[in-house]
């Protein structure tokens, strides 16, 4: 499995408010099958970040493009494959 960091920069604040519940429900459905690992908003209002887990970028892109935020023009997205380090010793 690979991990993907998907940035969701703000395009339309009102649409983001309007579609927030649908967006969060969408992510929760994906979280229930272990496709979304974590998500959250940026506290400065710039947008948010979702960490997805999947086989390849095409698979995750297809999912991201089903997000109500993307479909309704509330946000756009930027995706990067992420090499997650889960056990880091300092």
């Amino acid at each position: 499995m690979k991990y993907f960091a998907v940035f969701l920069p703000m395009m339309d604040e009102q649409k983001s408010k309007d579609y927030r519940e649908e967006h969060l429900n969408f992510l929760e459905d994906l979280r229930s099958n272990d496709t979304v690992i974590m998500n959250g908003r940026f506290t400065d209002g710039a947008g948010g970040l979702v960490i997805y887990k999947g086989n390849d970028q095409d698979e995750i892109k297809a999912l991201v493009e089903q997000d109500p935020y993307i479909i309704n023009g509330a946000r756009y997205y930027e995706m990067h494959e992420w090499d997650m380090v889960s056990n880091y010793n300092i």
Side-chain angles (χ1 to χ4, degrees):
M1 279 296 151
K2 297 178 180 181
Y3 295 92
F4 299 88
V6 178
F7 295 91
L8 296 168
M10 184 72 67
M11 285 178 58
D12 185 312
E13 190 172 349
Q14 186 57 53
K15 284 183 180 180
S16 288
K17 289 177 185 175
D18 293 345
Y19 294 102
R20 179 175 172 74
E21 185 174 344
E22 288 178 49
H23 164 73
L24 293 175
N25 288 338
F26 169 78
L27 295 180
E28 186 58 35
D29 286 345
L30 293 174
R31 184 185 303 278
S32 70
N33 70 15
D34 204 32
T35 301
V36 166
I37 305 306
M38 60 183 72
N39 62 281
R41 65 181 185 87
F42 298 128
T43 59
D44 65 0
L49 172 69
V50 182
I51 305 297
Y52 287 86
K53 181 170 74 172
N55 293 313
D56 58 43
Q57 189 166 339
D58 290 337
E59 174 188 350
I60 301 307
K61 180 180 179 193
L63 289 173
V64 172
E65 291 180 352
Q66 294 175 42
D67 187 326
Y69 272 175
I70 302 303
I71 291 170
N72 294 291
R75 310 278 179 97
Y76 66 97
Y77 72 93
E78 181 181 320
M79 179 172 34
H80 300 274
E81 187 172 338
W82 184 45
D83 189 12
M84 181 175 70
V85 177
S86 61
N87 193 4
Y88 190 80
N89 294 320
I90 298 175

